[in-house]
Coordinates of all heavy atoms in Angstrom, one line a residue:
M1 N -19.9 53.8 287.9 CA -19.7 52.6 287.1 C -19.7 51.4 288.0 O -18.9 51.4 288.9 CB -18.4 52.8 286.2 CG -18.2 51.6 285.3 SD -19.4 51.5 283.9 CE -18.8 52.9 282.9
G2 N -20.5 50.4 287.6 CA -20.5 49.2 288.4 C -19.5 48.2 288.0 O -18.6 48.6 287.3
E3 N -19.6 47.1 288.5 CA -18.7 46.0 288.2 C -18.9 45.5 286.8 O -19.9 45.5 286.2 CB -19.1 44.8 289.2 CG -18.1 43.8 289.3 CD -18.6 42.7 290.3 OE1 -19.3 43.1 291.3 OE2 -18.3 41.5 290.1
T4 N -17.7 45.1 286.2 CA -17.8 44.6 284.8 C -17.8 43.1 284.8 O -17.0 42.5 285.6 CB -16.6 45.1 284.0 OG1 -16.7 46.5 283.8 CG2 -16.5 44.4 282.6
Y5 N -18.7 42.5 284.1 CA -18.7 41.0 284.1 C -19.2 40.6 282.7 O -19.8 41.4 281.9 CB -19.7 40.4 285.1 CG -21.0 41.0 285.1 CD1 -22.1 40.4 284.4 CD2 -21.3 42.2 285.8 CE1 -23.4 41.0 284.4 CE2 -22.6 42.8 285.8 CZ -23.6 42.1 285.1 OH -24.9 42.7 285.1
Q6 N -18.8 39.4 282.3 CA -19.1 38.9 281.0 C -20.6 38.4 280.9 O -21.0 37.7 281.7 CB -18.2 37.7 280.6 CG -18.2 37.4 279.1 CD -16.9 36.8 278.7 OE1 -15.9 37.4 278.6 NE2 -17.0 35.5 278.4
I7 N -21.3 39.0 279.9 CA -22.6 38.6 279.6 C -22.7 37.5 278.6 O -23.4 36.5 278.7 CB -23.4 39.8 279.0 CG1 -23.5 40.9 280.1 CG2 -24.8 39.3 278.5 CD1 -24.5 40.6 281.2
C8 N -21.9 37.6 277.5 CA -21.9 36.7 276.4 C -20.6 36.0 276.2 O -19.6 36.6 276.0 CB -22.2 37.5 275.1 SG -22.3 36.6 273.6
E9 N -20.7 34.7 276.5 CA -19.5 33.9 276.4 C -19.0 33.7 274.9 O -17.8 33.8 274.6 CB -19.7 32.4 276.9 CG -20.1 32.4 278.4 CD -18.9 32.5 279.3 OE1 -17.8 32.3 278.8 OE2 -19.1 32.9 280.4
C10 N -20.0 33.5 274.0 CA -19.6 33.3 272.6 C -18.8 34.4 272.0 O -17.9 34.2 271.3 CB -20.9 33.1 271.8 SG -21.8 31.6 272.2
R11 N -19.3 35.7 272.3 CA -18.7 36.8 271.7 C -17.9 37.6 272.6 O -17.4 38.7 272.3 CB -19.8 37.8 271.1 CG -20.7 37.1 270.1 CD -20.0 36.6 268.9 NE -20.9 36.0 267.9 CZ -20.6 34.9 267.1 NH1 -19.4 34.3 267.3 NH2 -21.5 34.5 266.3
R12 N -17.7 37.1 273.8 CA -16.9 37.8 274.9 C -17.3 39.2 275.1 O -16.5 40.2 275.0 CB -15.5 37.7 274.6 CG -15.0 36.3 274.5 CD -13.5 36.2 274.3 NE -13.0 34.8 274.3 CZ -12.7 34.2 275.4 NH1 -12.8 34.7 276.6 NH2 -12.3 32.9 275.3
V13 N -18.6 39.5 275.3 CA -19.1 40.8 275.5 C -19.5 41.0 277.0 O -20.1 40.1 277.6 CB -20.4 41.0 274.6 CG1 -20.9 42.4 274.8 CG2 -20.1 40.8 273.2
T14 N -19.1 42.1 277.5 CA -19.4 42.5 278.9 C -20.6 43.4 279.0 O -21.0 44.0 278.1 CB -18.2 43.1 279.6 OG1 -18.0 44.4 279.0 CG2 -16.9 42.3 279.5
N15 N -21.1 43.5 280.3 CA -22.2 44.4 280.5 C -21.7 45.8 280.2 O -22.5 46.7 279.7 CB -22.6 44.3 282.0 CG -21.5 44.6 283.0 OD1 -20.3 44.2 282.7 ND2 -21.8 45.2 284.1
T16 N -20.4 46.1 280.5 CA -19.9 47.5 280.3 C -19.9 47.8 278.8 O -20.3 48.9 278.4 CB -18.5 47.6 280.8 OG1 -18.5 47.2 282.2 CG2 -17.9 49.0 280.6
Q17 N -19.6 46.8 277.9 CA -19.7 47.1 276.5 C -21.1 47.4 276.0 O -21.3 48.3 275.2 CB -19.1 45.9 275.7 CG -17.6 45.8 275.8 CD -17.2 44.5 275.2 OE1 -17.1 43.4 275.9 NE2 -16.9 44.4 273.9
I18 N -22.0 46.7 276.6 CA -23.5 47.0 276.2 C -23.8 48.4 276.7 O -24.4 49.2 276.0 CB -24.4 45.9 276.9 CG1 -24.1 44.6 276.3 CG2 -25.9 46.3 276.7 CD1 -24.8 43.4 277.0
E19 N -23.4 48.7 277.9 CA -23.7 50.1 278.5 C -23.1 51.2 277.6 O -23.7 52.2 277.4 CB -23.3 50.2 279.9 CG -24.2 49.4 280.9 CD -23.5 49.1 282.3 OE1 -22.5 49.8 282.6 OE2 -24.1 48.4 283.0
E20 N -21.8 50.9 277.2 CA -21.1 51.9 276.4 C -21.9 52.1 275.0 O -21.9 53.2 274.5 CB -19.7 51.5 276.2 CG -18.8 51.6 277.4 CD -18.7 53.0 278.0 OE1 -18.7 54.0 277.2 OE2 -18.6 53.1 279.2
A21 N -22.3 51.0 274.5 CA -23.1 51.1 273.2 C -24.3 52.0 273.4 O -24.7 52.8 272.6 CB -23.4 49.7 272.7
V22 N -25.0 51.7 274.5 CA -26.3 52.5 274.8 C -25.9 54.0 275.0 O -26.5 54.9 274.4 CB -27.0 52.0 276.0 CG1 -28.1 52.9 276.4 CG2 -27.5 50.6 275.7
K23 N -24.9 54.2 275.7 CA -24.4 55.6 276.0 C -24.1 56.3 274.6 O -24.3 57.5 274.5 CB -23.2 55.7 276.9 CG -23.5 55.5 278.3 CD -22.2 55.8 279.1 CE -22.2 55.0 280.4 NZ -20.8 55.1 281.1
G24 N -23.6 55.5 273.7 CA -23.2 56.0 272.4 C -24.4 56.2 271.5 O -24.2 56.6 270.3
G25 N -25.6 55.9 272.0 CA -26.8 56.2 271.2 C -27.5 55.0 270.7 O -28.5 55.1 270.0
A26 N -27.1 53.7 271.0 CA -27.8 52.5 270.6 C -29.1 52.4 271.4 O -29.0 52.0 272.6 CB -26.9 51.3 270.7
D27 N -30.2 52.8 270.8 CA -31.5 52.8 271.5 C -32.3 51.6 271.3 O -33.5 51.5 271.8 CB -32.2 54.1 271.2 CG -32.5 54.3 269.8 OD1 -32.0 53.5 269.0 OD2 -33.2 55.3 269.4
T28 N -31.8 50.6 270.5 CA -32.6 49.4 270.3 C -31.6 48.2 270.5 O -30.3 48.4 270.4 CB -33.1 49.2 268.9 OG1 -32.1 49.1 268.0 CG2 -34.1 50.4 268.5
F29 N -32.1 47.1 270.9 CA -31.2 45.9 271.1 C -30.5 45.5 269.8 O -29.3 45.1 269.8 CB -32.0 44.7 271.7 CG -31.1 43.6 272.2 CD1 -30.2 43.9 273.2 CD2 -31.1 42.4 271.6 CE1 -29.4 42.9 273.7 CE2 -30.3 41.4 272.0 CZ -29.4 41.6 273.1
D30 N -31.2 45.7 268.7 CA -30.5 45.4 267.3 C -29.3 46.3 267.2 O -28.3 45.8 266.7 CB -31.5 45.7 266.2 CG -32.5 44.6 266.0 OD1 -32.4 43.6 266.6 OD2 -33.4 44.8 265.1
K31 N -29.4 47.5 267.5 CA -28.2 48.4 267.4 C -27.1 48.0 268.3 O -25.9 48.0 267.9 CB -28.6 49.9 267.6 CG -29.5 50.4 266.6 CD -29.8 51.9 266.9 CE -30.9 52.4 265.9 NZ -31.4 53.7 266.3
V32 N -27.4 47.6 269.5 CA -26.4 47.1 270.5 C -25.8 45.9 269.9 O -24.5 45.7 270.0 CB -27.1 46.8 271.8 CG1 -26.0 46.1 272.7 CG2 -27.6 48.0 272.5
Q33 N -26.5 45.0 269.3 CA -26.0 43.8 268.6 C -25.1 44.1 267.5 O -24.0 43.5 267.3 CB -27.1 42.9 268.2 CG -27.7 42.1 269.3 CD -28.7 41.1 268.8 OE1 -29.6 41.4 268.1 NE2 -28.4 39.8 269.2
A34 N -25.5 45.1 266.7 CA -24.6 45.5 265.5 C -23.3 46.0 266.0 O -22.3 45.8 265.3 CB -25.4 46.6 264.7
I35 N -23.3 46.7 267.1 CA -22.0 47.3 267.7 C -21.2 46.2 268.4 O -20.0 46.1 268.2 CB -22.3 48.5 268.6 CG1 -22.9 49.6 267.8 CG2 -21.0 48.9 269.3 CD1 -23.6 50.7 268.7
T36 N -21.8 45.4 269.2 CA -21.1 44.5 270.1 C -21.1 43.1 269.7 O -20.3 42.3 270.2 CB -21.7 44.6 271.6 OG1 -23.0 44.0 271.5 CG2 -21.7 46.0 272.1
H37 N -22.0 42.7 268.9 CA -22.2 41.3 268.5 C -22.7 40.4 269.6 O -22.7 39.2 269.5 CB -21.0 40.7 267.8 CG -20.5 41.5 266.7 ND1 -21.2 41.7 265.5 CD2 -19.3 42.3 266.6 CE1 -20.5 42.5 264.7 NE2 -19.4 42.9 265.3
V38 N -23.2 41.1 270.7 CA -23.7 40.3 271.8 C -24.9 39.4 271.3 O -25.7 39.8 270.5 CB -24.2 41.2 273.0 CG1 -25.4 42.0 272.6 CG2 -24.4 40.4 274.2
S39 N -25.0 38.2 271.9 CA -26.1 37.3 271.6 C -26.2 36.9 270.1 O -27.3 36.6 269.6 CB -27.5 37.9 272.1 OG -27.4 38.3 273.4
T40 N -25.1 36.9 269.4 CA -25.2 36.5 268.0 C -24.5 35.1 267.8 O -24.3 34.7 266.7 CB -24.5 37.5 267.1 OG1 -23.1 37.7 267.5 CG2 -25.2 38.8 267.1
G41 N -24.3 34.4 268.9 CA -23.8 33.0 268.8 C -24.8 32.0 269.2 O -25.8 31.9 268.4
C42 N -24.7 31.4 270.3 CA -25.7 30.4 270.7 C -27.0 31.0 271.1 O -28.0 30.3 271.1 CB -25.1 29.6 271.9 SG -25.0 30.4 273.5
G43 N -27.0 32.2 271.5 CA -28.3 32.9 271.9 C -28.6 32.7 273.4 O -29.6 33.2 273.9
G44 N -27.8 31.9 274.1 CA -28.2 31.6 275.5 C -28.1 32.7 276.4 O -28.7 32.7 277.5
C45 N -27.4 33.8 276.0 CA -27.3 35.0 276.9 C -28.3 36.0 276.6 O -28.3 37.1 277.3 CB -25.9 35.6 276.7 SG -25.7 36.2 275.0
V46 N -29.2 35.8 275.7 CA -30.1 36.9 275.2 C -30.9 37.6 276.3 O -31.1 38.8 276.3 CB -30.9 36.5 274.0 CG1 -32.0 35.5 274.4 CG2 -31.5 37.7 273.3
M47 N -31.5 36.8 277.2 CA -32.3 37.4 278.3 C -31.5 38.3 279.2 O -31.9 39.4 279.5 CB -33.0 36.3 279.1 CG -34.0 35.4 278.3 SD -35.1 36.3 277.2 CE -36.2 37.1 278.4
D48 N -30.3 37.8 279.5 CA -29.4 38.6 280.4 C -29.0 39.9 279.6 O -28.9 41.0 280.2 CB -28.2 37.8 280.8 CG -28.5 36.8 281.8 OD1 -29.6 36.8 282.5 OD2 -27.7 35.8 282.0
A49 N -28.7 39.7 278.4 CA -28.2 40.8 277.6 C -29.3 41.9 277.4 O -29.0 43.1 277.5 CB -27.7 40.4 276.2
I50 N -30.5 41.4 277.2 CA -31.6 42.4 277.0 C -31.9 43.1 278.3 O -32.2 44.3 278.3 CB -32.9 41.7 276.5 CG1 -32.7 41.3 275.0 CG2 -34.1 42.5 276.7 CD1 -33.8 40.5 274.4
K51 N -31.7 42.4 279.4 CA -31.9 43.1 280.7 C -30.9 44.2 280.9 O -31.2 45.3 281.4 CB -31.9 42.1 281.9 CG -32.1 42.7 283.2 CD -32.1 41.8 284.4 CE -32.5 42.5 285.7 NZ -32.1 43.8 285.8
V52 N -29.6 43.9 280.6 CA -28.6 44.9 280.8 C -28.9 46.1 279.8 O -28.8 47.3 280.2 CB -27.2 44.3 280.5 CG1 -26.1 45.4 280.4 CG2 -26.8 43.3 281.5
F53 N -29.3 45.8 278.6 CA -29.7 46.8 277.6 C -30.8 47.7 278.2 O -30.7 48.9 278.2 CB -30.1 46.2 276.3 CG -30.8 47.1 275.4 CD1 -30.2 48.2 274.9 CD2 -32.2 46.9 275.2 CE1 -30.9 49.1 274.1 CE2 -32.9 47.7 274.4 CZ -32.3 48.9 273.8
K54 N -31.9 47.1 278.7 CA -33.0 47.8 279.2 C -32.6 48.7 280.4 O -33.1 49.9 280.5 CB -34.2 46.9 279.5 CG -34.9 46.4 278.3 CD -36.1 45.6 278.7 CE -36.9 45.2 277.5 NZ -37.9 44.2 277.8
D55 N -31.9 48.2 281.3 CA -31.4 48.9 282.4 C -30.6 50.1 282.0 O -30.7 51.2 282.5 CB -30.6 48.1 283.4 CG -31.5 47.1 284.2 OD1 -32.7 47.2 284.1 OD2 -30.9 46.2 284.8
A56 N -29.7 49.9 281.0 CA -28.8 51.0 280.6 C -29.6 52.0 279.8 O -29.4 53.2 280.0 CB -27.7 50.4 279.6
R57 N -30.6 51.6 279.0 CA -31.4 52.5 278.3 C -32.2 53.4 279.3 O -32.3 54.6 279.1 CB -32.4 51.8 277.4 CG -33.1 52.7 276.4 CD -34.0 51.9 275.5 NE -35.0 51.1 276.2 CZ -35.9 50.3 275.7 NH1 -35.9 50.1 274.4 NH2 -36.7 49.5 276.4
A58 N -32.7 52.8 280.3 CA -33.5 53.6 281.3 C -32.6 54.6 282.1 O -33.0 55.6 282.5 CB -34.1 52.6 282.3
K59 N -31.3 54.2 282.2 CA -30.4 55.0 282.9 C -29.8 56.1 282.1 O -29.6 57.3 282.6 CB -29.2 54.1 283.5 CG -28.4 54.7 284.6 CD -27.6 53.5 285.1 CE -26.5 54.0 286.1 NZ -25.6 52.9 286.5
Y60 N -29.5 55.8 280.8 CA -28.7 56.8 280.0 C -29.5 57.4 278.9 O -29.1 58.5 278.4 CB -27.5 56.1 279.4 CG -26.5 55.4 280.4 CD1 -26.3 54.1 280.5 CD2 -25.9 56.3 281.4 CE1 -25.5 53.5 281.5 CE2 -25.1 55.7 282.3 CZ -24.9 54.4 282.4 OH -24.0 53.8 283.3
L61 N -30.6 56.8 278.5 CA -31.4 57.4 277.5 C -32.8 57.7 278.0 O -33.2 56.9 278.9 CB -31.5 56.5 276.2 CG -30.2 56.1 275.6 CD1 -30.5 55.1 274.4 CD2 -29.4 57.3 275.1
V62 N -33.4 58.7 277.6 CA -34.7 59.0 278.1 C -35.8 58.4 277.2 O -35.7 58.5 276.0 CB -35.0 60.5 278.3 CG1 -36.4 60.8 278.8 CG2 -33.9 61.0 279.3
Ligands
LIG1 S1 -23.3 33.2 275.2 FE1 -24.0 34.9 274.0 S2 -24.5 34.1 272.1 FE2 -23.7 32.4 273.2

């Protein structure tokens, strides 16, 4: 497990929360958003959030 840092200021979501959602079976960014609410405020974090999601999906889901 790597370092935990905040991705989304508006919803206070960390990279770890995104990774946990993926591990729990969220295989689309929409599902990650439904679970964590990441990137549902100003939207400014969406590129970073999607990158974390894609990396986690590649790592934890085939
Ligand atoms: S920082 Fe994530 S929605 Fe605003």
